[in-house]
């Protein structure tokens, strides 16, 4: 990053970590939005169904982000060990 003494690989790792953290936050907020939709449905089955769908999508998003971060960290370790 600008103004630091990090090497290029450390800067890329920091950037990836921040991006993944941002994606986790977005997924959690999306799940909370789904829960809010369910809570404010007022008995409307269509709104409850929409809220459940949003929560399921948020959970899938969390799993995808977790798997992607694991794969990326594995690749980074693999690349840095060979150099």
């Amino acid at each position: 990053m600008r103004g630091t003494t990090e090497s290029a690989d450390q800067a890329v790792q920091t950037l990836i970590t921040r991006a993944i953290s941002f994606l986790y936050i977005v997924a959690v907020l999306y799940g909370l939005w789904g829960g809010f939709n369910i809570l404010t449905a007022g008995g409307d089955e269509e709104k409850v169904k929409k809220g459940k769908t949003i929560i399921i999508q948020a959970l899938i998003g969390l799993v995808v982000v977790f798997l992607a971060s694991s794969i990326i960290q594995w690749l980074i370790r693999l690349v840095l060990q060979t150099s």
Side-chain angles (χ1 to χ4, degrees):
M1 302 292 164
R2 187 185 310 170
T4 64
T5 58
E6 287 183 318
S7 64
D9 59 334
Q10 290 172 335
V12 169
Q13 287 178 1
T14 302
L15 182 65
I16 290 171
T17 302
R18 288 181 182 173
I20 288 172
S21 298
F22 175 75
L23 291 175
Y24 275 124
I25 291 170
V26 168
V28 169
L29 290 175
Y30 193 61
L32 289 173
W33 175 251
F36 179 77
N37 281 340
I38 291 173
L39 288 174
T40 60
D44 184 6
E45 287 299 319
E46 190 62 34
K47 288 184 179 180
V48 171
K49 184 178 177 182
K50 179 181 175 186
K52 286 181 182 179
T53 302
I54 290 173
I55 290 174
I56 290 169
Q57 291 172 347
L59 290 173
I60 291 170
L62 284 171
V63 170
V64 168
V65 171
F66 173 76
L67 290 174
S69 66
S70 298
I71 292 169
I72 289 171
Q73 293 302 324
W74 176 73
L75 287 173
I76 288 173
R77 269 188 263 119
L78 187 67
V79 168
L80 291 180
Q81 285 178 355
T82 59
S83 59

